[in-house]
Amino acid sequence: MGFREHAARVRRILGIVLAVLLLGGVAAVLVTGGDQDDKGTATKTVRGVIGSEKAEFFADPEVVKALAAKGLTVRTETSGSWDMERLPLKGYDFAFPSAKAPADEIKARTKAGGTPLRPFYSPLVVVAHSAAAKVLAANGLAALGPGGRTGTLRMAAYLDAARGDRTWQQLKGSAGHAELSGTLFVTTTDPLSSNSGALYLAAASYVADGGRVAGDQAAVDRTAPLLRKLIQVQGAQQSSSDAPFRDFVSGVGNPLVLVYESQVAAQLIAKRDPGDLVVLYPDTTVSSDHTLVPLTEAGRTLGELLSDDPELRRLAVRHGFRPQGAPAEFTAATAGLTGYLDQTLTGVRQAPVPTSAVLHRMALRARDQGDTP
């Protein structure tokens, strides 16, 4: 073989190798979200796992721009908050579940240093279609405010109805509404994987057990039959609140759905058509403290920016979240939406949340899986 033929063959082989390496590099970027330090830019890439209800916030171009101005590019993947406890988090800079309990578990498992940060929170609410809300109010299960677009879900009365397996057809005023049929229940997420579903059980058990927070197995046993009814009547459940809320907005699914207030507020602030939406605040509920667990210093920097930076706080409010320690910011942003939102949470009692271990046992019993996974 002559020199030219040999050189050409070598070039072809090198071309193939480079092509394979290039394809591999592209695949790595697609999977991991880019190099740890973005070459040629002034930003550092920070990777994390978040609850799906925060996905739109981190994808917002203005949020991306505000973070870039502080030197960060954030790459995220979504997961149910309780599922995060079991994820291999090596190589990530932060985990950002929707509540303190799974955050505490993640911190303990990963031995993350420092205190988790809670930049914002959101109470749980039940969204209802107008006809469903009016029927609940006519039967003493809810109270509607002026205009009928917001109100209160009376948890004790609702739980009594659940104990008795009451159907929509048994409620006065339901005739003529074909969509109101079958057993009365609130659609929630899977309490074994999702924060909102687990917190729903926490609030329900607190009310059902006479205003006592569950602290041991005996407390779990006392409310297990009711919690099982609340969960098993739903059939298959989603692992995040995003899908059931989207189903509700599109007009399909159950007429009562448990979501975060932030999801509703974001829709309203963006001036998206609310349709016949009614927002019911359970008179006993649990607020979801979105808690960032920093796994690296870069993750801690992100958490501090989300907590303290005025522009990022403004954008968090635009996505419906209530900044910690700054109620006036949420009040100002939602001043024209009081027909739907209870800015001051008047008459809403916060139920204490059991420990992660107790809440997990509650979820297992509610799913009829015993006391161990």
Side-chain angles (χ1 to χ4, degrees):
M1 179 183 296
F3 175 81
R4 290 184 178 179
E5 291 84 354
H6 178 73
R9 183 179 181 187
V10 169
R11 284 196 297 272
R12 285 196 298 273
I13 292 172
L14 287 173
I16 292 170
V17 171
L18 287 171
V20 170
L21 290 173
L22 179 60
L23 288 172
V26 170
V29 170
L30 289 174
V31 171
T32 65
D35 294 332
Q36 180 66 26
D37 295 301
D38 290 337
K39 305 300 188 290
T41 72
T43 63
K44 178 180 181 62
T45 297
V46 183
R47 296 185 181 87
V49 184
I50 63 172
S52 64
E53 69 289 330
K54 293 182 284 288
E56 288 191 8
F57 170 75
F58 280 106
D60 184 334
E62 289 193 43
V63 173
V64 173
K65 182 179 178 181
L67 287 168
K70 299 296 182 179
L72 299 182
T73 296
V74 179
R75 308 291 188 194
T76 62
E77 299 172 18
T78 60
S79 167
S81 292
W82 291 90
D83 276 343
M84 286 186 203
E85 292 183 16
R86 299 181 286 275
L87 292 178
L89 293 172
K90 185 177 181 181
Y92 289 91
D93 297 290
F94 69 96
F96 202 174
S98 304
K100 182 177 181 295
D104 288 343
E105 291 296 312
I106 292 167
K107 182 181 186 304
R109 179 171 64 85
T110 60
K111 297 179 172 58
T115 304
L117 301 105
R118 291 183 281 171
F120 41 71
Y121 70 100
S122 183
L124 290 169
V125 299
V126 173
V127 290
H129 293 297
S130 180
K134 289 177 181 177
V135 170
L136 292 178
N139 289 268
L141 302 176
L144 299 180
R149 291 300 188 178
T150 188
T152 302
L153 179 68
R154 292 172 172 162
M155 281 292 285
Y158 166 69
L159 294 178
D160 282 343
R163 282 191 193 90
D165 299 316
R166 292 184 74 181
T167 65
W168 283 104
Q169 293 93 324
Q170 291 172 330
L171 301 180
K172 64 182 179 182
S174 63
H177 297 287
E179 74 279 13
L180 302 180
S181 63
T183 305
L184 171 69
F185 68 90
V186 174
T187 290
T188 73
T189 52
D190 182 352
L192 284 174
S193 62
S194 171
N195 177 61
S196 59
L199 294 184
Y200 174 67
L201 296 185
S205 69
Y206 181 78
V207 174
D209 207 19
R212 291 179 290 183
V213 59
D216 54 26
Q217 188 60 45
V220 173
D221 292 341
R222 283 195 298 272
T223 59
L226 173 61
L227 301 189
R228 189 177 299 116
K229 279 180 179 285
L230 296 177
I231 297 302
Q232 294 192 359
V233 70
Q234 300 181 47
Q237 292 177 291
Q238 301 280 352
S239 62
S240 77
S241 60
D242 186 55
F245 181 61
R246 289 184 185 277
D247 286 346
F248 177 88
V249 170
S250 65
V252 300
N254 194 42
L256 303 175
V257 181
L258 184 82
V259 300
Y260 296 108
E261 179 197 55
S262 60
Q263 293 170 291
V264 179
Q267 294 273 331
L268 296 171
I269 291 170
K271 300 188 184 306
R272 295 170 190 156
D273 183 7
D276 67 346
L277 171 76
V278 178
V279 185
L280 299 176
Y281 288 78
D283 58 13
T284 300
T285 189
V286 178
S287 283
S288 178
D289 289 320
H290 295 271
T291 306
L292 187 148
V293 182
L295 305 174
T296 66
E297 281 305 309
R300 176 162 295 282
T301 297
L302 173 63
E304 291 171 348
L305 285 172
L306 293 175
S307 300
D308 302 329
D309 183 75
E311 176 64 5
L312 287 167
R313 288 168 68 91
R314 181 187 71 81
L315 292 169
V317 171
R318 193 174 76 178
H319 283 269
F321 299 108
R322 295 177 180 241
Q324 291 283 2
E329 295 178 28
F330 183 82
T331 299
T334 59
L337 303 174
T338 54
Y340 291 93
L341 304 176
D342 183 351
Q343 294 176 317
T344 60
L345 301 178
T346 304
V348 176
R349 179 172 56 168
Q350 290 291 319
V353 179
T355 64
S356 177
V358 170
L359 202 50
H360 188 62
R361 289 203 295 273
M362 275 187 190
L364 286 168
R365 292 292 298 276
R367 291 286 300 274
D368 205 18
Q369 294 184 22
D371 295 323
T372 57

